[in-house]
């Protein structure tokens, strides 16, 4: 019987064969770990960095909270110093300006003027300037201006409320108002004293010239003025921001 202190030849040969395999596997594991960690500790480094991020974010949140509290206190102090009387005055000013700015609905007796181009047959037969027989933006603007001069409290064109910044643009055979194109006939309504409106519209020199072209043989532009017992001018609900050019810098 062999001595228990000595291993059998077969067992020694098995260990000699298994040892290189274990070494190779260990090397492969080390290589994979190194690639995944990218030079950092897979455990301790990641946990340490996460804790640092949490602390930094917590500190930043605390600073922002302090700033918010300080700003709120400043707003409250400014509001208190302004006082109720100043706020009331500002609100009264706003209420006073809203109506003339065209931001409230107006209704009442009115005068309606309708302008239209001459018929196509009349324009083809006309020997003069074809532009004489179509409605231009200056004709529409002249009607609106005459209504304002007569004390109109509100004016609409094609149902659109006019305000101080309204521009009437002629583009081809259409008129653009507040960015929307309209074709003739053009309907302009002025709310106010009908007698004053009709008198101003009847004596305005620009409109007198326009009416001269309504009597052209074969048919000219049209002019219709009608008093209305009641009309409604809706509140302006478009954009109020002004767009303007600015100089270029060198």
């Amino acid at each position: 019987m062999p001595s228990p202190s000595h291993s059998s030849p077969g067992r020694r040969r098995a260990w000699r064969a298994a040892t290189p395999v274990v070494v190779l596997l260990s090397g492969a594991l080390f290589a994979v770990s190194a690639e995944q960690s990218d030079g950092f500790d897979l455990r301790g480094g990641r946990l340490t960095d996460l804790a640092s991020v949490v602390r930094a974010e917590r500190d930043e949140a605390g600073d922002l909270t302090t700033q918010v509290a300080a700003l709120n206190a400043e707003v409250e102090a400014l509001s208190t110093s302004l006082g109720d009387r100043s706020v009331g005055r500002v609100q009264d000013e706003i209420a006073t300006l809203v109506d003339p700015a065209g931001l409230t609905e107006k209704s009442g007796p009115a005068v309606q003027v309708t302008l239209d181009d001459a018929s196509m047959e009349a324009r083809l037969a006309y020997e003069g300037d074809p532009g004489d027989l179509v409605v231009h933006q200056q004709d529409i603007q002249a009607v609106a201006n005459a209504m304002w001069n007569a004390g109109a409290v509100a004016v609409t064109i094609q149902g659109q409320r006019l305000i101080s910044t309204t521009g009437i643009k002629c583009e081809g055979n259409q008129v653009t108002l507040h960015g929307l194109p309209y074709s003739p006939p053009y309907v302009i309504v002025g709310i106010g004293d009908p007698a004053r409106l009709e008198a101003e519209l009847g004596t305005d020199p620009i409109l007198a010239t326009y009416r001269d072209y309504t009597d052209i043989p074969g048919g000219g532009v049209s002019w219709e003025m009608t008093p209305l017992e009641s009309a409604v001018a809706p509140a302006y609900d478009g954009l109020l921001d002004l767009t303007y050019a600015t100089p270029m810098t060198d």
Side-chain angles (χ1 to χ4, degrees):
M1 175 181 292
S3 171
S5 61
H6 298 281
S7 301
S8 65
R11 183 175 296 179
R12 286 196 298 272
R13 283 195 297 271
W15 276 109
R16 282 198 298 269
T19 299
V21 174
V22 172
V23 172
L24 288 174
L25 289 175
S26 299
L29 288 173
F30 286 134
V32 171
S33 298
E35 182 177 356
Q36 293 296 322
S37 65
D38 195 21
F40 294 98
D41 184 11
L42 287 175
R43 292 178 178 272
R46 179 177 298 177
L47 293 175
T48 302
D49 291 343
L50 181 58
S52 300
V53 170
V54 171
R55 283 195 299 270
E57 294 294 333
R58 185 178 58 223
D59 293 342
E60 185 177 359
D63 293 341
L64 292 175
T65 301
T66 302
Q67 291 181 27
V68 169
L71 291 173
N72 285 336
E74 186 177 351
V75 169
E76 186 175 351
L78 291 173
S79 299
T80 302
S81 64
L82 184 61
D84 294 337
R85 290 187 177 181
S86 298
V87 173
R89 282 198 299 270
V90 171
Q91 291 176 341
D92 290 342
E93 243 180 85
I94 292 173
T96 303
L97 296 174
V98 162
D99 185 62
L103 304 181
T104 58
E105 182 182 286
K106 303 295 287 187
S107 62
V111 170
Q112 174 179 295
V113 172
T114 303
L115 309 178
D116 200 358
D117 297 343
S119 66
M120 183 59 68
E121 292 79 7
R123 279 182 276 172
L124 292 174
Y126 184 59
E127 295 181 355
D129 184 354
D132 295 341
L133 301 185
V134 296
V135 179
H136 297 284
Q137 67 183 56
Q138 62 263 29
D139 303 322
I140 301 172
Q141 188 68 62
V143 174
N145 288 342
M147 289 178 170
W148 291 126
N149 290 336
V153 296
V155 177
T156 64
I157 299 176
Q158 306 299 74
Q160 291 263 19
R161 181 73 174 270
L162 300 191
I163 60 174
S164 59
T165 57
T166 298
I168 302 172
K169 299 179 182 178
C170 187
E171 298 180 357
N173 62 342
Q174 293 182 323
V175 166
T176 300
L177 184 68
H178 297 156
L180 299 175
Y182 294 97
S183 299
Y186 301 109
V187 180
I188 307 104
V189 176
I191 297 178
D193 182 358
R196 289 184 60 189
L197 289 167
E198 288 183 329
E200 186 69 32
L201 290 165
T203 57
D204 184 90
I206 297 176
L207 296 178
T209 301
Y210 173 87
R211 284 191 294 271
D212 289 342
Y213 289 91
T214 63
D215 299 327
I216 292 177
V221 291
S222 68
W223 165 275
E224 293 181 11
M225 183 167 63
T226 307
L228 304 175
E229 291 185 2
S230 181
V232 176
Y236 176 75
D237 60 357
L239 296 176
L240 294 173
D241 294 339
L242 294 178
T243 301
Y244 49 89
T246 56
M248 296 180 63
T249 56
D250 295 336

